[in-house]
Amino acid sequence: MGQDILAELAVGARTSLFIGMMTAILATLIGGFIGVLAGYIGGRFETFVMRVIDIVLTLPFLPLMIVVAVYIGPGVFTQIFVITLVLWAGKARQIRAQTLSIKSAGPVLAAKTMGASDFYIFRRHIIPGVFPLFIPQFVGSVNAAILMESSLSFLGMGDPTMKSWGSILYYANSRSGFLTDAWAWWIIPPGVCIVLVVLAFSFIGYYLEEKVNPRLGAYTVAPKRPKQHITTNEALVAHHIALRVENLTVQYPKNNAYTSVVSDVNFSVKEGEVLGIVGESGSGKSTVAAAIIQQLRGKAHVPTGSIYFEGQDVKQFSDEELRQLRGQQIGYIAQAAMNALNPVLSVERQLKEAIVAHAHVSKKEIDARIDEVLMQVGLEPKWRYAFSHELSGGMRQRVIIAMALINKPKFVIADEPTTGLDVIVQVEIIQLLRKLQQDMNLSMIFISHDLPAVLSITDRLIIMKYGHIVDFGPSRELAKTSTHPYTRRLIDAIPLLHPKKEQSYGATR
Ligand SMILES: Nc1ncnc2c1ncn2[C@@H]1O[C@H](COP(=O)(O)OP(=O)(O)OP(=O)(O)O)[C@@H](O)[C@H]1O
């Protein structure tokens, strides 16, 4: 007693912050190192590390401290040792999840396919990818360690020779500070210091974590902006851009982390233009298409990206506007849709439902429109009474195209429209789509992994791999002159009947 409280608080701050900082540095480094190794090496090593982490996370903190203190004696370094032992495991688990997510991301897979060494991948991809997570982890650990140190010291398990905020409370308690009027000076100041420092570190930690963790960003409520034509939208309209996709990134949860299946994709489609999207299975083509009509499946997360349709940001669309976008403004020929025709409804009935979903029209008008659209897709009107099992694959696909066009959209997305058809029917369907596109001056996105088909119908092409656009340009030029190794591999894989005529790709337009 009789000591200056302010001096005690200042000296105590040194101990509390020292333990907090030291423990945070150790726990972050150890947890980070083990997490990165477990995530990157994988296999049995990862399983072993995960089991150890599970065990450590179940260790009871206080009994552990008591046992360790009995063996090596209470003190600052015992506290640092025990708190680090408890904290590193949670960090390792988070870092492992982040490493797994980076490991399966496009750039790393692309680097591997180009023969990059593990050291290169670590230096260029893994370390820069996990490093941002270290910062909120460090801040969170300082906060947790200060709280643990204060609890231990308050229980008398701190270093008796060093003052800390927790030990001030311990002495206050052991000398009846809580029961006498000394509490206002002896208990409130160290208590307030602990609360303020912990709160400050918590807020800094939450802020930093939200900055580096896209999942948390998803939960922040964006203010609803009024729907308006801003300069960009006017510019899009002025340049006859029917669709603009900007910085689109789509993520799906995988192994406790979000993995990007589409990364920072940018492109435009002009009015009356056909854009091809080519890439191997899983490269993200259908995901881009689904994002355009705001119909991503599952637990998709879109951390960045804007989609402007006819100059309007579709993110600002109301539910009703989105409903009109799908099926009325944008005709969508979904992948494998011909196998999804309703077997118990006639062609007529399904076409009729597609019309009445968007407009109030008389029966006469519906009948006339059905006849008209069937003729457009090369089916005689009598097929309106048929059921899907009565139609061949090619005919079913024509019905699907008719359904996409029934409401006279100006934009069509055709996702693998020839999959599952024999070669001759494939050519017929491509020719049909090309004719419709020209007759109706449609803007179109044509998605396929069949490069010859795409080259025969598109004006421009983008090539996707692992969710990234790796090459783009006018279709004919790209086929002839692209030097990108992936595009060249796709081009070289096209079987040629007349090798000397190889330059004729895309010449049909
Ligand atoms: N609902 C979902 N949940 C989780 N992952 C998904 C989901 N939909 C797509 N993905 C993943 O996104 C990636 C891209 O899929 P997408 O269907 O866009 O590829 P694609 O290029 O169209 O392939 P394909 O030509 O085979 O249709 C794939 O790895 C896929 O596993």
Side-chain angles (χ1 to χ4, degrees):
M1 286 297 284
Q3 288 172 17
D4 188 308
I5 298 276
L6 188 63
E8 276 198 9
L9 283 180
V11 174
R14 204 172 53 182
T15 313
S16 296
L17 290 174
F18 173 72
I19 293 176
M21 292 288 177
M22 279 307 292
T23 313
I25 291 171
L26 288 174
T28 309
L29 286 182
I30 295 170
F33 183 69
I34 293 176
V36 167
L37 281 189
Y40 193 72
I41 295 172
R44 285 193 187 155
F45 178 70
E46 184 191 6
T47 313
F48 170 74
V49 170
M50 289 312 291
R51 292 301 77 79
V52 173
I53 288 175
D54 289 343
I55 293 168
V56 172
L57 287 176
T58 58
L59 286 178
F61 173 54
L62 264 182
L64 183 72
M65 180 67 202
I66 293 167
V67 171
V68 175
V70 166
Y71 280 100
I72 57 175
V76 169
F77 291 100
T78 308
Q79 284 182 325
I80 292 175
F81 175 70
V82 176
I83 299 173
T84 304
L85 197 63
V86 173
L87 285 184
W88 73 269
K91 318 290 153 209
R93 196 146 79 166
Q94 263 185 302
I95 294 285
R96 167 194 157 266
Q98 178 75 354
T99 308
L100 282 176
S101 147
I102 298 168
K103 198 173 98 174
S104 59
V108 172
L109 295 176
K112 277 188 181 167
T113 55
M114 284 186 237
S117 67
D118 282 343
F119 177 70
Y120 176 86
I121 292 172
F122 245 86
R123 194 167 55 87
R124 292 301 298 266
H125 297 284
I126 306 286
I127 299 298
V130 295
F131 187 72
L133 212 62
F134 276 45
I135 301 161
Q137 284 205 343
F138 169 76
V139 178
S141 303
V142 176
N143 166 13
I146 289 175
L147 212 52
M148 286 177 175
E149 183 280 326
S150 304
S151 316
L152 290 175
S153 298
F154 177 66
L155 294 170
M157 282 183 259
D159 187 337
T161 63
M162 288 181 89
K163 274 268 183 295
S164 75
W165 292 332
S167 68
I168 297 175
L169 289 174
Y170 166 72
Y171 287 117
N173 183 38
S174 59
R175 288 165 198 173
S176 306
F178 283 91
L179 302 174
T180 63
D181 57 3
W183 62 270
W185 292 104
W186 219 353
I187 289 161
I188 289 184
V192 167
C193 285
I194 292 168
V195 170
L196 286 183
V197 169
V198 167
L199 275 181
F201 276 108
S202 296
F203 287 131
I204 296 170
Y206 293 146
Y207 172 76
L208 291 174
E209 186 153 11
E210 194 178 303
K211 283 273 159 217
V212 299
N213 187 343
R215 270 184 292 171
L216 293 178
Y219 298 127
T220 55
V221 181
K224 194 157 171 60
R225 278 175 285 157
K227 196 170 155 187
Q228 57 181 359
H229 289 276
I230 54 171
T231 322
T232 330
N233 300 16
E234 283 162 5
L236 292 174
V237 174
H239 289 93
H240 303 283
I241 304 287
L243 178 85
R244 167 103 192 117
V245 173
E246 229 165 61
N247 307 325
L248 179 68
T249 296
V250 181
Q251 302 180 325
Y252 277 110
K254 193 176 169 192
N255 299 327
N256 300 327
Y258 270 69
T259 306
S260 295
V261 297
V262 169
S263 301
D264 201 21
V265 161
N266 289 279
F267 64 83
S268 302
V269 183
K270 283 193 172 178
E271 286 167 17
E273 185 186 38
V274 185
L275 176 83
I277 305 184
V278 180
E280 64 200 43
S281 192
S283 55
K285 308 181 296 294
S286 302
T287 304
V288 169
I292 291 170
I293 56 164
Q294 303 283 291
Q295 215 163 36
L296 288 162
R297 286 160 293 146
K299 292 183 181 166
H301 169 55
V302 184
T304 63
S306 300
I307 287 150
Y308 297 95
F309 182 71
E310 295 184 341
Q312 303 234 13
D313 184 352
V314 301
K315 262 197 283 184
Q316 310 291 335
F317 279 17
S318 65
D319 288 349
E320 179 51 29
E321 284 170 319
L322 276 179
R323 217 177 58 73
Q324 297 298 340
L325 179 79
R326 305 174 189 133
Q328 186 165 47
Q329 292 170 289
I330 298 183
Y332 193 69
I333 302 169
Q335 202 172 3
M338 68 177 188
N339 300 322
L341 276 175
N342 194 327
V344 296
L345 295 184
S346 65
V347 168
E348 176 185 54
R349 182 78 190 279
Q350 296 188 59
L351 288 170
K352 187 178 163 189
E353 283 185 359
I355 300 175
V356 295
H358 294 286
H360 298 289
V361 266
S362 69
K363 188 172 176 317
K364 208 169 145 200
E365 281 172 305
I366 292 175
D367 279 346
R369 180 66 193 137
I370 290 176
D371 279 352
E372 185 188 17
V373 80
L374 285 177
M375 299 280 273
Q376 277 178 320
V377 299
L379 287 174
E380 286 176 41
K382 67 172 183 186
W383 290 109
R384 60 193 289 162
Y385 306 110
F387 289 83
S388 65
H389 67 272
E390 297 169 298
L391 303 171
S392 69
M395 290 165 95
R396 267 185 264 156
Q397 192 60 327
R398 284 172 195 267
V399 173
I400 291 297
I401 296 171
M403 284 174 79
L405 297 179
I406 191 97
N407 292 311
K408 301 186 181 173
K410 284 192 254 157
F411 199 104
V412 168
I413 299 176
D415 190 355
E416 307 269 10
T418 55
T419 306
L421 300 170
D422 67 58
V423 183
I424 293 174
V425 181
Q426 281 186 15
V427 172
E428 284 173 12
I429 294 292
I430 300 278
Q431 283 172 348
L432 170 67
L433 284 172
R434 191 166 53 214
K435 182 172 179 322
L436 291 169
Q437 187 272 326
Q438 284 170 347
D439 291 352
M440 300 164 74
N441 194 31
L442 292 171
S443 314
M444 192 186 282
I445 292 181
F446 187 93
I447 297 172
S448 180
H449 42 239
D450 179 357
L451 192 55
V454 176
L455 287 173
S456 70
I457 190 172
T458 56
D459 300 298
R460 275 188 314 122
L461 207 55
I462 58 180
I463 312 277
M464 286 189 70
K465 192 175 185 198
Y466 303 132
H468 293 262
I469 293 183
V470 292
D471 206 2
F472 64 92
S475 307
R476 215 188 293 194
E477 245 172 67
L478 208 67
K480 282 185 192 161
T481 59
S482 173
T483 51
H484 192 282
Y486 184 63
T487 313
R488 283 265 54 97
R489 262 194 12 236
L490 290 174
I491 306 273
D492 293 343
I494 300 175
L496 296 170
L497 290 177
H498 306 289
K500 295 231 165 83
K501 291 186 185 168
E502 128 184 47
Q503 304 302 329
S504 66
Y505 295 131
T508 42
R509 272 183 71 86

